[in-house]
Amino acid sequence: MKPFYVALIPVLLVGCAVANNGVSGQTQTTERERQAWVYNREINQIVAHSIRRVRIAEERLAMKKAGHPVPLKTGWCGAAVSINDDGSIKRINMTGCASHSLGEDEQKAIKSAAPFPPPGNPFIAVVHTYAPIATPGVNGN
């Protein structure tokens, strides 16, 4: 069974403007906020695919060196990625990872996925991925 990588999209990516329509406590999302959320989701999906490729390559190399299946570190990892208006990466700030090696994989995946689709203006994407428990060597994978 091939591992499946999940990309989380933070619920509170952008603030919501409070609409004064007579009903207290209601919020209304603007079109710009919706577009930002959709773009952030797209970046998360791109990075999730990229981290899968990075970890498969890492797993193959580890198996080749050791001569037997080698499990990789698993868990959650997050980063704030500053993206220039042309889609290139300005900066990557790791916000927390389950392990150091998983953080390195996350950075490598973000860098290899770049350049991203151009957002049109500078953008900070919040990326969260989950690397599940792998089953190395199963079915020849």
Side-chain angles (χ1 to χ4, degrees):
M1 175 181 222
K2 291 185 179 179
F4 175 71
Y5 293 89
V6 179
L8 289 181
I9 291 56
V11 177
L12 299 175
L13 171 63
V14 292
C16 296
V18 177
N20 188 4
N21 59 1
V23 181
S24 177
Q26 277 191 334
T27 59
Q28 180 178 349
T29 305
T30 66
E31 180 62 20
R32 183 176 169 155
E33 291 166 338
R34 188 190 70 73
Q35 289 173 349
W37 185 85
V38 168
Y39 182 74
N40 197 81
R41 184 180 67 193
E42 183 180 0
I43 298 302
N44 272 268
Q45 289 171 344
I46 291 168
V47 171
H49 288 288
S50 183
I51 197 163
R52 181 176 188 276
R53 286 191 307 269
V54 165
R55 288 179 55 87
I56 286 172
E58 182 180 358
E59 183 179 56
R60 282 188 184 141
L61 181 63
M63 286 173 57
K64 193 174 189 177
K65 281 183 179 178
H68 57 81
V70 179
L72 301 178
K73 296 289 185 181
T74 62
W76 295 99
C77 200
V81 184
S82 297
I83 302 172
N84 293 318
D85 56 355
D86 64 351
S88 63
I89 296 174
K90 180 177 183 179
R91 182 178 344 186
I92 301 171
N93 293 325
M94 300 308 294
T95 57
C97 290
S99 71
H100 180 71
S101 64
L102 189 57
E104 289 175 345
D105 289 348
E106 180 90 353
Q107 283 190 340
K108 192 183 303 181
I110 292 168
K111 289 175 183 176
S112 70
F116 296 110
N121 55 358
F123 189 85
I124 297 177
V126 179
V127 177
H128 291 283
T129 55
Y130 177 71
I133 295 173
T135 51
V138 175
N139 298 329
N141 295 320

